[in-house]
C-alpha cells in the first residue's frame, strides 16, 4: 500500500498546482514587454531621417491568459508603415 501513496500524492499536488495557476491567470495583470520594430512599405524615393530603435517597450494590461498568449506569440512586432 505504501508504494501507491507516492504516485497519488504527486498527482494530487500537480493537479492542485494546475488548478491554482488556471484560476489565478483569470485575474488582471500588468506587464511591460519589448517588441521588435519593423519598417514596411517604404518607397524607393523615401528615406528614414533618424535611426529607429531596434525595440519598443509597451506596458500592457489584461488577464493572465491574454498576457501569456501575447508574450509567447512568436510573431509579435511593431510595424511602421
Amino acid at each position: 500500500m505504501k508504494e501507491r501513496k507516492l504516485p497519488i500524492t504527486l498527482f494530487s499536488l500537480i493537479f492542485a498546482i494546475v488548478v491554482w495557476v488556471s484560476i489565478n491567470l483569470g485575474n488582471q495583470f500588468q506587464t511591460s514587454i519589448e517588441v521588435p520594430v519593423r519598417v514596411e512599405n517604404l518607397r524607393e524615393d523615401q528615406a528614414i531621417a533618424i535611426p529607429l530603435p531596434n525595440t519598443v517597450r509597451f506596458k500592457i494590461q489584461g488577464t493572465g491568459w491574454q498576457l501569456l498568449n501575447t508574450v509567447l506569440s512568436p510573431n509579435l512586432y511593431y510595424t511602421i508603415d
Side-chain angles (χ1 to χ4, degrees), residues 37-67:
V37 175
R38 235 167 54 171
V39 178
E40 290 183 354
N41 301 327
L42 190 63
R43 295 190 324 237
E44 291 182 20
D45 61 336
Q46 291 179 327
I48 299 174
I50 58 172
L52 295 175
N54 293 333
T55 60
V56 176
R57 181 173 289 271
F58 290 102
K59 187 182 282 189
I60 57 176
Q61 180 176 349
T63 65
W65 291 110
Q66 293 169 332
L67 296 178

Side-chain angles (χ1 to χ4, degrees), residues 25-33 58-68 70-71:
L25 284 178
N27 294 334
Q28 290 286 321
F29 295 98
Q30 183 175 2
T31 188
S32 294
I33 59 170
F58 290 102
K59 187 182 282 189
I60 57 176
Q61 180 176 349
T63 65
W65 291 110
Q66 293 169 332
L67 296 178
L68 186 64
T70 301
V71 170

